[in-house]
Amino acid sequence: QVQLQESGPGLVKPSQTLSLTCTVSGGSISSGGYYWSWIRQHPGKGLEWIGYISYSGSTYYNPSLKSRVTISIDTSKIQFSLKLTSVTAADTAVYYCARVDSSGFYEINYWGQGTLVTVSS
Amino acid sequence: QSVLTQPPSVSEAPRQRVTISCSGSSSNIGNNAVNWYQHLPGKAPKLLIYYDDLLPSGISDRFSGSKSGTSASLAISGLQSEDEADYYCAAWDDSLNGVVFGGGTKLTVL
């Protein structure tokens, strides 16, 4: 059973960089057919796709965040990571890592539990 | 402002049937599969329906999905109190090259 787990600071100061890591267990991150993704949910709001990375390192980002986002992958550690620079209070959200099935119908069968990141001084 | 449009809330009595709509465009719903997720507070979203109308293993057949053109619907029959949750539609968007979500619909079982 594939499991994803987010980790990282729960509090980030304005203008700093938000860094989260997603550790994958029970499956490989090195095979094709999946987009390893980050998704967030602002308090009381809906889900917002941030971006994804493939096992080969190809990335795509939400245009609204593209200038501030970097997603990377470490296949040796079976992890992928999110960096969001120059954060503001508007980046306060629950951040989820997830596996999108790119060889299927882009469904998300596996999600992390989510981690709340608060941007505040 | 979400790319896909859902009603913010719906409500219905126990044992009744409710539908949740999801409207998109030709770059997402009109050209790609629609997936539905159930999201309970404090938990990870759960896949309910994929490829418009297919049920993942373990999902009750009280849930069903349909799609026509650039719109899709989720139906829940025999409503139970445990169905109270937020429901999201999602689809791949060819223009964005990513997944787009609806704004979510909060289901209240009266």
Side-chain angles (χ1 to χ4, degrees), chain A:
Chain A
Q1 174 78 347
V2 175
Q3 292 184 315
L4 289 79
Q5 180 66 57
E6 305 90 352
S7 59
L11 180 64
V12 181
K13 289 182 167 50
S15 79
Q16 294 191 342
T17 297
L18 179 160
S19 296
L20 295 174
T21 296
C22 182
T23 301
V24 180
S25 58
S28 172
I29 203 173
S30 304
S31 57
Y34 305 111
Y35 290 151
W36 302 96
S37 303
W38 288 96
I39 295 161
R40 69 181 182 179
Q41 182 179 31
H42 295 101
K45 303 293 184 182
L47 299 167
E48 177 185 32
W49 171 73
I50 298 171
Y52 68 80
I53 189 166
S54 69
Y55 81 101
S56 63
S58 298
T59 55
Y60 285 96
Y61 303 131
N62 189 321
S64 67
L65 297 168
K66 187 175 182 179
S67 63
R68 299 193 292 130
V69 172
T70 302
I71 297 176
S72 58
I73 193 166
D74 187 334
T75 54
S76 64
K77 294 183 179 179
I78 322 181
Q79 294 177 335
F80 62 103
S81 299
L82 169 71
K83 290 190 185 300
L84 182 64
T85 62
S86 304
V87 298
T88 69
D91 295 307
T92 293
V94 175
Y95 286 76
Y96 295 96
C97 58
R99 192 185 83 173
V100 176
D101 192 339
S102 62
S103 61
F105 307 105
Y106 300 102
E107 72 272 25
I108 305 172
N109 269 305
Y110 298 104
W111 300 71
Q113 284 298 305
T115 185
L116 174 62
V117 179
T118 302
V119 179
S120 175
S121 55

Side-chain angles (χ1 to χ4, degrees), chain A residues 41 49 60 63 96 105 108 112, chain B residues 35 37 39 44 88 96-97 99:
Chain A
Q41 182 179 31
W49 171 73
Y60 285 96
Y96 295 96
F105 307 105
I108 305 172
Chain B
N35 305 309
Y37 300 90
H39 194 193
Y88 292 89
L96 181 65
N97 215 346
V99 176

Side-chain angles (χ1 to χ4, degrees), chain B residues 9-52:
Chain B
S9 63
V10 295
S11 60
E12 186 53 86
R15 298 180 298 281
Q16 299 304 306
R17 183 176 185 270
V18 70
T19 61
I20 297 172
S21 62
C22 175
S23 177
S25 68
S26 58
S27 66
N28 41 68
I29 293 178
N31 200 39
N32 295 292
V34 177
N35 305 309
W36 289 90
Y37 300 90
Q38 179 190 60
H39 194 193
L40 294 164
K43 294 200 167 185
K46 179 170 75 173
L47 181 66
L48 273 186
I49 298 285
Y50 70 102
Y51 192 21
D52 303 338

